[in-house]
Amino acid sequence: MSGICSGRVVVVTGAGRGLGRAHALAFAAEGARVVVNDFGVGLDGAPDAENPAARVAEEIRAAGGEAIAHTGDIATGEGAASLVRAAVETYGGLDTVVNNAGFLRDRMLVNLGEDDWDAVVRVHLKGHFLPLRHAAAHWRAEAGAGRRPTARIVNTGSGAGLLGSVGQGNYSAAKAGIVALTLVAAAELGRYGVQVNAVAPAARTRMTERTFAAAMAAPAAGFDAMAPENVSPLVVWLGSAACSGVTGRVFEAEGGRITVMEGWRPGPTADKGRRWSPGEAGEAARELLARAEPPRGVYGA
C-alpha cells in the first residue's frame, strides 16, 4: 500500500457492512486511523442484534491498523456530535468524513407511506447533513484558531439520485438531495480548508441484491466487477490530501470504471424578450426539445 492516508483520522458511517466496511478497511490499509460507525440495523432500518461496527473495528486492529467502533445514530444531533467527539477525543483530530449510512424501504409511489418516506429521507439525507454539519463546525473552529485543516468529506449518492429509479421515490429523492448538499457544502466550506465530493457507486451490498441481481453472477476472468472494494480506492483518494483542488464534483464508480458526472447544464434556449402566451411557450418548448439531448432512462422503467 502507498500510505496515502497515513496519519489521517477518518470517520466512515454505515461501515459495518458492504461499501462502508470496504471503505473503512481500505482507509486503514492506507494508514488512516478509522472511526467505524454503524447503528446496527437491518436493511429496512429495524433494530439488529449484531454489532457490525465492533466487528469491523476488530478486523482493522487484527490487521495491524487503528480503529474504534461508534454505534450512535448519526441521523440525530447527539449521535452526529458524538461521532465527531469520538474521533477528536480518541485520535486528537478529524481529517475526513465519509457519509455512507443508509437503508431501503422500496414502494411504488401510490403505495409509499409517509413513514417509509420519512425514514429513508431521514437516514440518507439527514444522516449526511448532521455529520457534515458537526464536522464542519469543528473544522471552522480549527481554521479560526490558525490551524487550517486539510479536510475532506465524501458523500454517497446513487444513480437513482441522478436518473431516478422506479419503486424508489423516497431513496431517489434523498440521494438527489445529497448531490445538491454536496454542491452547497463545497461552496460554503472551502474557506475553511474543506473539500466536499460525492460518489455514486454501483456494487454488491444488502441494498442492491435485487437491483443488480443479473450482474451478480460469478465473476468473469477472476474480476468481480460488483465487489464493493472496487469503489473504495476512489473514495480513499477523495478522502486524502492528494486530491487537492478537487471539490464539488460527483463521480460514478463501478467495477473498473470511474466517470465524472456533469449534471444539469443549460441546453437549447429561446428568449422572446417578452412574455409568451401558453401556445407560444408550448411551441417553443417543443422546438427546444427537438434540439436537446434525450434524457437517459430511469432505472427500472
Side-chain angles (χ1 to χ4, degrees):
M1 296 296 178
S2 65
I4 193 173
C5 287
S6 180
R8 290 181 72 81
V9 178
V10 177
V11 163
V12 184
T13 71
R17 304 177 179 88
L19 282 164
R21 172 183 173 272
H23 299 340
L25 293 173
F27 273 107
E30 293 292 344
R33 293 167 287 176
V34 185
V35 180
V36 180
N37 164 265
D38 201 292
F39 193 36
V41 298
L43 180 58
D44 62 352
D48 190 328
E50 296 184 33
N51 187 345
R55 186 172 62 243
V56 174
E58 177 55 33
E59 189 175 357
I60 290 171
R61 291 192 295 268
E66 295 184 62
I68 60 168
H70 178 272
T71 58
D73 180 0
I74 47 78
T76 67
E78 176 51 34
S82 71
L83 178 63
V84 173
R85 283 199 306 270
V88 174
E89 292 175 1
T90 304
Y91 296 123
L94 175 62
D95 299 295
T96 298
V97 172
V98 179
N99 285 312
N100 173 76
F103 60 75
L104 297 176
R105 291 188 183 176
D106 293 352
R107 301 283 191 279
M108 301 298 280
L109 286 172
V110 294
N111 297 320
L112 181 59
E114 187 174 346
D115 289 346
D116 290 335
W117 173 275
D118 289 345
V120 169
V121 171
R122 174 186 178 275
V123 72
H124 285 279
L125 189 51
K126 192 175 182 182
H128 271 62
F129 161 65
L130 286 174
L132 183 158
R133 176 181 177 274
H134 286 279
H138 167 73
W139 289 323
R140 181 179 63 180
E142 288 291 289
R147 298 185 295 270
R148 182 178 173 85
T150 305
R152 306 288 185 257
I153 295 172
V154 185
N155 291 331
T156 304
S158 169
L162 302 173
L163 301 175
S165 180
V166 171
Q168 294 188 311
N170 48 3
Y171 176 75
S172 297
K175 289 300 192 183
I178 287 167
V179 171
L181 177 64
T182 299
L183 303 181
V184 173
E188 291 186 359
L189 302 181
R191 72 191 73 178
Y192 307 124
V194 185
Q195 292 181 187
V196 189
N197 295 284
V199 173
R204 179 179 56 254
T205 69
R206 293 188 303 167
M207 289 174 54
T208 59
E209 285 177 351
R210 288 180 295 174
T211 305
F212 297 120
M216 291 181 182
F223 178 56
D224 183 358
M226 300 307 295
E229 290 78 8
N230 298 329
V231 178
S232 299
L234 175 62
V235 173
V236 169
W237 182 77
L238 290 171
S240 74
C243 75
S244 177
V246 179
T247 193
R249 305 309 294 262
V250 179
F251 299 83
E252 275 194 335
E254 175 185 353
R257 177 176 59 84
I258 296 173
T259 303
V260 176
M261 305 304 288
E262 295 188 328
W264 293 103
R265 295 179 181 275
T269 302
D271 185 354
K272 184 180 178 181
R274 58 185 185 279
R275 186 179 302 154
W276 303 87
S277 72
E280 289 173 333
E283 183 179 348
R286 289 192 179 279
E287 291 176 354
L288 294 173
L289 289 169
R291 293 190 276 127
E293 290 290 327
R296 294 176 61 186
V298 173
Y299 290 166

